[in-house]
PDB file of all heavy atoms in Angstrom:
ATOM      1  N   SER B  46     102.995  60.615 135.638  1.00  0.00           N
ATOM      2  CA  SER B  46     102.022  61.526 135.052  1.00  0.00           C
ATOM      3  C   SER B  46     102.647  62.326 133.919  1.00  0.00           C
ATOM      4  O   SER B  46     103.864  62.394 133.792  1.00  0.00           O
ATOM      5  CB  SER B  46     101.516  62.487 136.113  1.00  0.00           C
ATOM      6  OG  SER B  46     102.536  63.403 136.426  1.00  0.00           O
ATOM      7  N   THR B  49     105.163  64.865 135.048  1.00  0.00           N
ATOM      8  CA  THR B  49     106.508  64.381 135.344  1.00  0.00           C
ATOM      9  C   THR B  49     107.323  64.248 134.065  1.00  0.00           C
ATOM     10  O   THR B  49     108.493  64.638 134.009  1.00  0.00           O
ATOM     11  CB  THR B  49     106.426  63.026 136.051  1.00  0.00           C
ATOM     12  OG1 THR B  49     105.637  63.185 137.221  1.00  0.00           O
ATOM     13  CG2 THR B  49     107.796  62.532 136.422  1.00  0.00           C
ATOM     14  N   ARG B  89     103.236  79.890 124.264  1.00  0.00           N
ATOM     15  CA  ARG B  89     102.927  81.178 123.630  1.00  0.00           C
ATOM     16  C   ARG B  89     104.113  81.774 122.879  1.00  0.00           C
ATOM     17  O   ARG B  89     104.268  82.984 122.791  1.00  0.00           O
ATOM     18  CB  ARG B  89     102.445  82.196 124.669  1.00  0.00           C
ATOM     19  CG  ARG B  89     101.012  81.981 125.072  1.00  0.00           C
ATOM     20  CD  ARG B  89     100.666  82.854 126.237  1.00  0.00           C
ATOM     21  NE  ARG B  89      99.644  82.220 127.048  1.00  0.00           N
ATOM     22  CZ  ARG B  89      99.872  81.192 127.850  1.00  0.00           C
ATOM     23  NH1 ARG B  89     101.076  80.688 127.941  1.00  0.00           N
ATOM     24  NH2 ARG B  89      98.892  80.674 128.543  1.00  0.00           N
TER      25      ARG B  89
ATOM     26  P    DG C  33     108.589  61.833 141.648  1.00  0.00           P
ATOM     27  OP1  DG C  33     108.845  60.389 141.611  1.00  0.00           O
ATOM     28  OP2  DG C  33     109.307  62.755 140.756  1.00  0.00           O
ATOM     29  O5'  DG C  33     107.028  62.051 141.447  1.00  0.00           O
ATOM     30  C5'  DG C  33     106.128  61.236 142.169  1.00  0.00           C
ATOM     31  C4'  DG C  33     104.731  61.752 141.976  1.00  0.00           C
ATOM     32  O4'  DG C  33     104.666  63.106 142.500  1.00  0.00           O
ATOM     33  C3'  DG C  33     104.291  61.853 140.505  1.00  0.00           C
ATOM     34  O3'  DG C  33     103.025  61.232 140.385  1.00  0.00           O
ATOM     35  C2'  DG C  33     104.192  63.346 140.246  1.00  0.00           C
ATOM     36  C1'  DG C  33     103.856  63.867 141.633  1.00  0.00           C
ATOM     37  N9   DG C  33     104.164  65.277 141.830  1.00  0.00           N
ATOM     38  C8   DG C  33     105.310  65.953 141.461  1.00  0.00           C
ATOM     39  N7   DG C  33     105.279  67.220 141.771  1.00  0.00           N
ATOM     40  C5   DG C  33     104.042  67.394 142.373  1.00  0.00           C
ATOM     41  C6   DG C  33     103.437  68.561 142.917  1.00  0.00           C
ATOM     42  O6   DG C  33     103.897  69.694 142.972  1.00  0.00           O
ATOM     43  N1   DG C  33     102.171  68.294 143.435  1.00  0.00           N
ATOM     44  C2   DG C  33     101.565  67.062 143.422  1.00  0.00           C
ATOM     45  N2   DG C  33     100.356  66.978 143.966  1.00  0.00           N
ATOM     46  N3   DG C  33     102.117  65.959 142.922  1.00  0.00           N
ATOM     47  C4   DG C  33     103.340  66.213 142.416  1.00  0.00           C
ATOM     48  P    DG C  34     102.453  60.811 138.996  1.00  0.00           P
ATOM     49  OP1  DG C  34     102.479  59.348 138.833  1.00  0.00           O
ATOM     50  OP2  DG C  34     103.063  61.679 137.978  1.00  0.00           O
ATOM     51  O5'  DG C  34     100.936  61.244 139.208  1.00  0.00           O
ATOM     52  C5'  DG C  34     100.276  60.849 140.414  1.00  0.00           C
ATOM     53  C4'  DG C  34      99.026  61.685 140.611  1.00  0.00           C
ATOM     54  O4'  DG C  34      99.395  63.022 141.036  1.00  0.00           O
ATOM     55  C3'  DG C  34      98.196  61.855 139.344  1.00  0.00           C
ATOM     56  O3'  DG C  34      96.820  61.746 139.665  1.00  0.00           O
ATOM     57  C2'  DG C  34      98.531  63.258 138.868  1.00  0.00           C
ATOM     58  C1'  DG C  34      98.792  63.985 140.181  1.00  0.00           C
ATOM     59  N9   DG C  34      99.732  65.091 140.058  1.00  0.00           N
ATOM     60  C8   DG C  34     101.015  65.036 139.563  1.00  0.00           C
ATOM     61  N7   DG C  34     101.629  66.185 139.587  1.00  0.00           N
ATOM     62  C5   DG C  34     100.682  67.051 140.126  1.00  0.00           C
ATOM     63  C6   DG C  34     100.769  68.444 140.381  1.00  0.00           C
ATOM     64  O6   DG C  34     101.725  69.197 140.196  1.00  0.00           O
ATOM     65  N1   DG C  34      99.590  68.941 140.932  1.00  0.00           N
ATOM     66  C2   DG C  34      98.476  68.196 141.183  1.00  0.00           C
ATOM     67  N2   DG C  34      97.436  68.836 141.699  1.00  0.00           N
ATOM     68  N3   DG C  34      98.372  66.891 140.948  1.00  0.00           N
ATOM     69  C4   DG C  34      99.515  66.396 140.418  1.00  0.00           C
ATOM     70  P    DC C  39      93.667  80.296 128.396  1.00  0.00           P
ATOM     71  OP1  DC C  39      93.811  81.656 128.953  1.00  0.00           O
ATOM     72  OP2  DC C  39      92.350  79.825 127.909  1.00  0.00           O
ATOM     73  O5'  DC C  39      94.683  80.135 127.200  1.00  0.00           O
ATOM     74  C5'  DC C  39      96.077  80.266 127.384  1.00  0.00           C
ATOM     75  C4'  DC C  39      96.782  79.647 126.206  1.00  0.00           C
ATOM     76  O4'  DC C  39      96.854  78.229 126.401  1.00  0.00           O
ATOM     77  C3'  DC C  39      96.006  79.831 124.906  1.00  0.00           C
ATOM     78  O3'  DC C  39      96.510  80.962 124.218  1.00  0.00           O
ATOM     79  C2'  DC C  39      96.297  78.547 124.121  1.00  0.00           C
ATOM     80  C1'  DC C  39      96.872  77.580 125.154  1.00  0.00           C
ATOM     81  N1   DC C  39      96.114  76.308 125.307  1.00  0.00           N
ATOM     82  C2   DC C  39      96.778  75.096 125.176  1.00  0.00           C
ATOM     83  O2   DC C  39      97.986  75.116 124.909  1.00  0.00           O
ATOM     84  N3   DC C  39      96.084  73.945 125.334  1.00  0.00           N
ATOM     85  C4   DC C  39      94.780  73.986 125.623  1.00  0.00           C
ATOM     86  N4   DC C  39      94.145  72.822 125.776  1.00  0.00           N
ATOM     87  C5   DC C  39      94.092  75.220 125.771  1.00  0.00           C
ATOM     88  C6   DC C  39      94.782  76.345 125.607  1.00  0.00           C
TER      89       DC C  39
END
Side-chain angles (χ1 to χ4, degrees):
Chain B
S46 72
T49 303
R89 282 171 210 74

